[in-house]
Amino acid sequence: MSFAPEAIKAAIAAQRATVEHLFDRLAQGSQGEPGIMRDTYGAGENFAHRLVAAHGADARLRVSHDAAANTYLTWPGSESSAPRILIGSHLDSVPHGGNFDGAAGVVAGLAAIAALRELGLQPRCNVTVMGIRAEESVWFEVSYIGSRSALGTLPDSALEARRIDTGRSLADHIDTCGGDSQAIRKGDRELDPAGIRAFLEVHIEQAPSLFDAGLPLAICSGIPGNFRYPNASITGRHDHVGTPRRFRHDAAMAGAEFAMALDRLWEEQEAAGIPLAITFGRFHTDAEVHGLTTVPGLFHFSLDVRAYDPAVLADTEKRMLAIISEIEARRKVRFELGRRASASVGMVDPAIASEMQDAATRLGIASTKLGSPASHDAAAFAAAGVPVGMIFVRNEHGSHNPREHMEIDDFLDACAVLASWIADHAA
């Protein structure tokens, strides 16, 4: 069922006060001093899920939860067996993060449903807003915990991962927050990909590309996959600072050489027009024994490599391992990469992306296409075979920091595009 662009924009604009109230309450209830602290499977994330569940109940949506304690707010359709439209994002944050990363996608879904109800849409299929748990992998160093649990694709070993600050297992945290880790371990799933028409996610941009371009929003063209080594190390030998170079087993110099070799590889790929990102998030000597007069015999690092092409990821990892072998032999050290984690490339559905672009044009909203530099729950749905679409909202200061910024006018533009797509496909 189509509505005039002016009607959709007016109905969305009428949601401004509700949208602002939800964002204000989310910020008030999860202060991180500085920034926001919606810790994964902790007090901050729990607060956000209670807040959106209460809002959903007040809005006469059907509220439910699954074994991973994800939250579902459903606007029932006339044909319950028809594949549903699923809208959502995560409600957790990084430590001392911002208020909009993730939460914007949940609030957008709620605003779109409220606007379409006011316009008189009678959906044929269920339209569900999903508040997703545990997208921020910094807490357990595992990607897409909530979404993959719901889809039945979370690796069993992930439940034994430990939260970086509490030391408690993911299974323990899930159970404490009202979930059922044993059901996840058995492979039970809340969501059958065959029963999902599409997964749609609104998210702030994570680098200020739209801000630089002067555009309010973008339609996502792809989500990178990755491989990660969260706790890698290099072992050499602690020596006196006066030890000649030929006798050294210097773990820190090996780490520095490794980082620069990967940076050259990245530069080479970039020059060839191949999108890639390589990040050493942790990079340090052993704090217990390092010092001014000691040659480091132990070095720690974490590594995140992401790209939009599985072949590029595979080739980069192969070349990385060859670099490691060469450094080990020449510098007389040993690399211990530890546990490996990975996430699949998220292929955005071309039809959905095109339809969203068309909707923006009809609504008179300037937009562009933009590849995501970051990982998103949409990628987990794409890997499970669900058609996905994403809309990015302009954000001046990047994300994962207290200065995340989003103009409500820009956000409402994204909600209007989202509502237009739902109206065209839910009836």
Side-chain angles (χ1 to χ4, degrees):
M1 182 176 182
S2 295
F3 296 99
E6 296 78 11
I8 287 180
K9 293 186 78 171
I12 288 293
Q15 297 302 312
R16 176 185 286 272
T18 299
V19 163
E20 291 176 335
H21 173 73
L22 282 171
F23 283 129
D24 287 346
R25 289 287 292 117
L26 282 165
Q28 292 163 8
S30 49
Q31 289 296 303
E33 299 179 6
I36 296 299
M37 189 80 83
R38 291 196 278 269
D39 51 320
T40 294
Y41 288 114
E45 188 185 51
N46 287 343
F47 167 82
H49 280 261
R50 288 195 302 269
L51 176 67
V52 299
H55 177 85
D58 289 344
R60 295 174 290 111
L61 301 177
R62 189 172 66 214
V63 180
S64 62
H65 305 277
D66 65 13
N70 294 307
T71 299
Y72 301 89
L73 311 169
T74 297
W75 182 18
S78 59
E79 298 180 19
S80 59
S81 61
R84 77 171 86 184
I85 293 173
L86 194 59
I87 314 146
S89 192
H90 61 100
L91 287 168
D92 60 338
S93 77
V94 299
H96 308 294
N99 195 36
F100 303 113
D101 184 336
V106 177
V107 176
L110 293 169
I113 286 176
L116 292 172
R117 266 182 159 171
E118 288 300 315
L119 288 171
L121 179 70
Q122 299 294 323
R124 182 177 65 87
C125 64
N126 288 350
V127 181
T128 298
V129 176
M130 182 180 180
I132 304 176
R133 291 275 185 169
E135 189 266 358
E136 297 293 2
S137 56
V138 63
W139 295 98
F140 287 95
E141 299 180 331
V142 176
S143 297
Y144 311 141
I145 291 169
S147 50
R148 289 199 290 176
S149 294
L151 291 161
T153 58
L154 185 73
D156 185 62
S157 60
L159 291 169
E160 311 313 319
R162 303 277 166 173
R163 209 173 97 161
I164 57 170
D165 55 346
T166 67
R168 291 165 47 211
S169 71
L170 173 58
D172 185 22
H173 274 273
I174 288 173
D175 293 340
T176 300
C177 293
D180 183 351
S181 63
Q182 287 306 310
I184 298 171
R185 198 182 299 278
K186 289 188 297 183
D188 293 352
R189 66 182 185 184
E190 178 73 17
L191 299 174
D192 179 356
I196 305 173
R197 166 66 181 85
F199 177 80
L200 310 174
E201 185 168 3
V202 172
H203 206 285
I204 59 169
E205 63 169 338
Q206 283 152 310
S209 301
L210 291 172
F211 178 77
D212 280 355
L215 294 171
L217 59 85
I219 308 304
C220 180
S221 58
I223 303 166
N226 64 57
F227 65 84
R228 292 169 165 171
Y229 291 97
N231 293 290
S233 64
I234 305 169
T235 302
R237 186 179 68 203
H238 294 292
D239 276 317
H240 186 278
V241 71
T243 303
R245 189 176 187 278
R246 68 182 182 278
F247 295 125
R248 292 192 180 201
H249 303 249
D250 191 327
M253 292 298 287
E257 183 175 345
F258 178 56
M260 294 311 299
L262 288 192
D263 189 54
R264 286 192 295 273
L265 188 159
W266 183 6
E267 185 177 31
E268 170 194 317
Q269 297 286 68
E270 194 174 65
I274 300 171
L276 183 70
I278 297 175
T279 304
F280 288 88
R282 292 189 300 104
F283 197 73
H284 57 90
T285 50
D286 185 357
E288 292 189 4
V289 295
H290 67 190
L292 177 64
T293 59
T294 300
V295 175
L298 184 60
F299 193 83
H300 302 280
F301 66 91
S302 66
L303 178 65
D304 179 298
V305 178
R306 53 187 61 195
Y308 295 94
D309 185 338
V312 171
L313 285 172
D315 179 66
T316 301
E317 189 163 20
K318 179 181 178 181
R319 294 173 67 180
M320 180 198 79
L321 294 173
I323 289 168
I324 287 174
S325 294
E326 191 275 330
I327 293 173
E328 284 182 326
R330 186 160 41 77
R331 289 199 175 268
K332 297 170 286 188
V333 298
R334 185 179 74 257
F335 280 68
E336 297 286 350
L337 292 177
R339 179 175 60 84
R340 180 186 186 276
S342 65
S344 300
V345 172
M347 306 302 292
V348 169
D349 185 84
I352 294 177
S354 177
E355 291 160 355
M356 286 182 164
Q357 196 82 55
D358 291 344
T361 300
R362 290 197 308 271
L363 291 160
I365 299 169
S367 66
T368 187
K369 293 181 180 179
L370 184 66
S372 173
S375 302
H376 302 282
D377 285 301
F381 284 91
V386 176
V388 305
M390 284 195 73
I391 304 169
F392 290 121
V393 183
R394 174 166 45 190
N395 167 31
E396 181 177 358
H397 300 302
S399 69
H400 287 193
N401 69 73
R403 298 179 68 223
E404 282 179 6
H405 180 73
M406 183 184 71
E407 296 290 347
I408 294 299
D409 284 343
D410 293 345
F411 175 73
L412 294 176
D413 280 345
C415 292
V417 173
L418 178 67
S420 181
W421 192 94
I422 295 169
D424 288 343
H425 294 84

